[in-house]
Amino acid sequence: MALQWWQRAVFYQIYPRSFADSNGDGIGDLDGVTVHLDYLSALGIDAIWLNPINPSPLDDWGYDVSDYCGIHPDLGDLNAFDRLTAEAHRRGIRVIVDLVPNHTSNQHPWFVESRASRDNPKRDWYIWVPGSPDRAPNNWQSTFGGPAWKYDPTTASWYLHMFLEQQPDLNYRNPEVVEQMHQVIRFWLERGADGFRIDVIAGLIKDAELRDNPIRAATDPDIPWHAKGTQDPLYSHDRPEVHDIIRGFRRVSDSYEQRILVGETWPREHERLADFLRPDELQLAFNFRFLLARYDARRFRGAIELTEKSFGPAAWPTWTLSNHDFPRHISRYSRDGDGEARARVAAVMLLTLRGTPFIYYGEEIGMRDAEIPAESKRDPVGRDGCRSPMQWSDAPNGGFSTSAKTWLPCGDFKAINVERQLNDPHSTLSLYRRLIQLRKSTPALVEGSYRQFDNAPEDCLVFHRDTPTQHIVVALNFTAKPRAIDLPAGKILLSTVSRSTDSTSSTLTLAPNEAVILMIDV
Ligand code: GLC
C-alpha cells in the first residue's frame, strides 16, 4: 500500500517563543520561524508542529487558550501565520498547529460567562458541581498536583481543572462544546493548516458519574510518577466515549484533503495506544514510553516491541526523544554517561525505526537544557530548561534575538550552535542531515518491515529493515564498551564515529556508543 505523506515525513517541533525573534522584543515569533524555513528545508524537514500560538494569559504558556481563532500578539498576527504557511508550503513543508481542546483559560469569554451564574447559557460548557467549600466532588487529582477541583464562591460550586486552576476543563458531554471545537478545527484548516497536534486527547471526556479514581497498587517502572499509592485516572482519563469525540474531529478533518490529527496520547495502558489509531480516529499518536525510556537498549527494545506487537498493520508508529514537557534527552542521557555520543546513537534509532520521527527544535545540534536561575523561572511546573532559545550562532543571545534580555535565558550557545556545526562534517547537525537524506534515498528505511535481530548482545539494539529488494541492518551499541555482532557481510552507509573502512565481513565490531547503518548484500 502506498504510504501517505505523514508516514514518509520527518516532523520538527517548534516552540515558537524560543525559535527566532524577528522584532527584537526578546520573544520568538512566527516571522522568526518563516525566516528560518530554508534552514529546515536544508535539514530535510517535511512538516513542522508549532506549540500553541493562540492568545493566552500564559499561565501554562499557551496551553491556556483565551481565543482559539487568534494569534498571541507576542507571536504576531493572522497575517504572519498566513505568511508562514505560504512560505512553508512553497518549500514543500507542511504546518500543523497545536489544538488544546480539553480546557480553556479561565479568562476565556466562555468560562467568564459560565462562572457568572448557575443558569448562564454557557454554564454547562464546563464541569460544575454545586456544593460546599469543605468537600470536593470527588478525589481526582490535577496532573500538576493537588486537587482537580476549585471552589467558586460566586455560584457556590466546584469546577474541574485537570491541570492548573486557571485551566477549567470543557464539558464534552455537551454537544455545543463539541460543535464549537469542530468550528475551531475548520477555522485553521480553512486557513491552510495541515492538521493538528491535539493536546491531552485521551482525557477529553470524563466519567458521567464522576466516580472516585482508584489508587495504583504497583509502580510502573517506565513512568516513575505512576508510583504505587498514586491515583490511577480510571474515571477521569481515557474513557471509552473519547473515541466518539475523536471520530467527530476526524470527520471534520477528513472533509479537507490530506490533513492529519496527531494525538498527545497517554493511554491508561500503553498496549492500548493503537486504539486511538484507527482509520476513523487519529493518524498519529505520540509514544511516551519510548520518549521516557532510560538510555538502555532493553528499555528501548521493550517500547519498540510493544509498539510493533500491539499496533498491527492499521496503526502507524511515531518516535520522539524530546519535547517541551521533559528535560531534553541529551541532558537526561548525560546524567550517567557521555550524553553527546548517546544522543547520536539515539538519533540513528529515531530516524531508522519504522514510523514517523519527530525532532524537537535544537535536538539536531545537541542542544542541552539551559540552566534557569530562580529569578528567571517562568513555568509553574519547572519545564523551562528544555524551552530555552534556539542556538543559531555565537552572537549575543545565540543569534536568537537582538534584545538585551530574552524571555528565557539562553543555553551554552558559544559551544553549541548551528553556525558552528553547519560546515563540520562530524557535527551532530551533519549527522542529522545525513540521516534524513539517507532515509529519503533508502526505501527500506521508510517502507521496509521491522524485525528484531535475534543474535545481538542484550545491551545493544539491532534490527532489520527490509523491502523485497533491500536489506538494511541498524546496529546500536548502548554501552560504553566495544561490542561484536555476527552479521552477514555488508556495506556501512553511516556510522556515528569515524571508521577506516565502509565494508564489513561476518563480524561487526561496534565502538562504544556507536550506531551503524548497514546495507546487506541481497
Ligand atoms: C500537555 C502539554 C503541556 C501542558 C498540558 C496542559 O501535556 O504538552 O505542555 O502543560 O498539556 O495543557
Side-chain angles (χ1 to χ4, degrees):
M1 200 185 78
L3 294 184
Q4 307 284 329
W5 73 263
W6 43 268
Q7 295 175 298
R8 298 188 168 276
V10 175
F11 278 75
Y12 187 93
Q13 178 188 351
I14 293 180
Y15 198 77
R17 288 189 165 258
S18 289
F19 198 59
D21 169 14
S22 73
N23 61 357
D25 64 358
I27 303 170
D29 45 46
L30 296 179
D31 282 338
V33 176
T34 308
V35 167
H36 288 287
L37 286 170
D38 285 336
Y39 166 76
L40 297 175
S41 203
L43 181 58
I45 298 305
D46 305 292
I48 55 177
W49 150 31
L50 302 172
N51 280 105
I53 53 177
N54 306 123
S56 158
L58 306 179
D59 289 304
D60 187 15
W61 295 98
Y63 285 99
D64 49 326
V65 174
S66 55
D67 170 9
Y68 283 98
C69 297
I71 302 286
H72 195 290
D74 288 351
L75 306 179
D77 54 20
L78 284 167
N79 292 328
F81 179 78
D82 294 343
R83 283 195 291 278
L84 169 54
T85 43
E87 286 299 314
H89 289 162
R90 212 161 62 75
R91 291 165 177 81
I93 297 177
R94 319 233 184 187
V95 180
I96 70 169
V97 292
D98 221 306
L99 178 69
V100 190
N102 181 66
H103 42 263
T104 67
S105 159
N106 61 350
Q107 296 182 36
H108 195 295
W110 304 338
F111 188 71
V112 172
E113 275 197 52
S114 183
R115 87 187 317 172
S117 67
R118 285 193 185 185
D119 56 7
N120 186 280
K122 294 233 164 30
R123 183 62 168 184
D124 197 35
W125 281 41
Y126 293 83
I127 301 173
W128 289 100
V129 180
S132 65
D134 52 339
R135 192 153 176 269
N138 65 21
N139 73 345
W140 295 359
Q141 292 283 308
S142 147
T143 308
F144 291 155
W149 296 96
K150 171 83 180 164
Y151 186 75
D152 192 18
T154 321
T155 54
S157 304
W158 297 81
Y159 68 84
L160 181 70
H161 62 89
M162 292 310 295
F163 293 87
L164 300 175
E165 67 178 60
Q166 298 93 330
Q167 293 169 296
D169 281 53
L170 283 162
N171 176 15
Y172 278 83
R173 294 188 180 275
N174 181 340
E176 285 173 15
V177 169
V178 174
E179 178 47 34
Q180 186 60 58
M181 211 41 74
H182 288 183
Q183 302 276 0
V184 171
I185 293 174
R186 283 193 199 98
F187 176 87
W188 291 102
L189 296 181
E190 294 284 342
R191 205 129 201 143
D194 295 289
F196 299 91
R197 174 270 188 190
I198 308 181
D199 195 57
V200 196
I201 183 94
L204 292 190
I205 195 157
K206 282 80 181 171
D207 180 43
E209 295 163 43
L210 305 176
R211 279 171 281 189
D212 274 355
N213 279 329
I215 301 301
R216 286 194 176 89
T219 299
D220 178 341
D222 289 321
I223 305 186
W225 62 88
H226 288 187
K228 185 178 173 183
T230 61
Q231 212 170 82
D232 170 2
L234 173 64
Y235 292 115
S236 54
H237 196 84
D238 196 359
R239 300 301 303 157
E241 304 94 309
V242 78
H243 297 283
D244 293 333
I245 307 289
I246 299 174
R247 280 191 281 267
F249 287 6
R250 177 67 181 261
R251 278 194 297 275
V252 179
S253 161
D254 275 356
S255 64
Y256 299 79
E257 305 241 315
Q258 303 280 323
R259 312 301 167 97
I260 56 156
L261 305 179
V262 185
E264 188 212 13
T265 30
W266 292 90
R268 279 190 54 253
E269 291 149 352
H270 197 73
E271 306 71 59
R272 294 196 26 254
L273 179 57
D275 289 2
F276 292 87
L277 297 165
R278 302 282 176 221
D280 57 353
E281 295 195 39
L282 304 174
Q283 278 98 339
L284 297 173
F286 287 117
N287 186 330
F288 288 103
R289 283 259 138 162
F290 180 83
L291 186 148
L292 294 168
R294 270 199 277 122
Y295 186 79
D296 178 334
R298 300 166 196 89
R299 293 302 178 109
F300 284 112
R301 192 161 41 238
I304 297 162
E305 289 292 304
L306 180 63
T307 306
E308 285 287 340
K309 281 207 193 84
S310 61
F311 268 37
W316 184 258
T318 66
W319 307 107
T320 316
L321 296 165
S322 287
N323 72 18
H324 62 291
D325 286 329
F326 301 99
R328 286 175 177 273
H329 62 279
I330 192 166
S331 298
R332 287 184 273 125
Y333 301 166
S334 297
R335 289 177 193 155
D336 56 354
D338 178 345
E340 188 180 339
R342 290 171 158 196
R344 290 168 69 93
V345 172
V348 175
M349 173 172 65
L350 177 77
L351 290 156
T352 58
L353 283 171
R354 189 184 72 88
T356 301
F358 280 73
I359 295 169
Y360 184 50
Y361 82 97
E363 140 183 357
E364 74 279 17
I365 55 168
M367 228 170 100
R368 288 159 190 267
D369 279 17
E371 297 281 337
I372 312 289
E375 68 278 10
S376 304
K377 288 196 191 317
R378 301 287 206 142
D379 183 49
V381 290
R383 296 165 295 186
D384 296 316
C386 65
R387 300 174 177 180
S388 64
M390 178 67 179
Q391 297 167 195
W392 295 104
S393 69
D394 62 6
N397 301 323
F400 161 74
S401 169
T402 54
S403 162
K405 194 167 177 333
T406 54
W407 84 283
L408 270 180
C410 297
D412 184 7
F413 57 81
K414 295 269 184 231
I416 299 168
N417 66 62
V418 170
E419 198 173 79
R420 186 164 166 176
Q421 294 192 17
L422 264 183
N423 299 314
D424 171 2
H426 304 295
S427 68
T428 295
L429 181 56
S430 296
L431 174 68
Y432 269 83
R433 279 189 168 188
R434 274 160 55 219
L435 275 168
I436 296 173
Q437 269 162 24
L438 188 62
R439 192 185 153 87
K440 297 201 160 159
S441 57
T442 313
L445 288 178
V446 179
E447 300 155 13
S449 59
Y450 168 92
R451 193 159 44 91
Q452 216 195 113
F453 180 86
D454 293 326
N455 274 332
E458 233 218 321
D459 48 14
C460 294
L461 178 66
V462 184
F463 55 87
H464 306 266
R465 299 294 316 277
D466 291 333
T467 63
T469 55
Q470 249 182 7
H471 181 181
I472 299 284
V473 169
V474 179
L476 313 166
N477 179 4
F478 279 75
T479 77
K481 304 219 172 74
R483 285 284 181 263
I485 302 169
D486 289 331
L487 279 172
K491 182 169 173 290
I492 293 181
L493 302 179
L494 180 144
S495 161
T496 53
V497 304
S498 306
R499 285 192 154 254
S500 51
T501 160
D502 65 0
S503 54
T504 63
S505 55
S506 54
T507 301
L508 172 72
T509 302
L510 294 170
N513 286 313
E514 182 187 13
V516 156
I517 304 176
L518 206 64
M519 174 86 83
I520 306 288
D521 309 326
V522 280

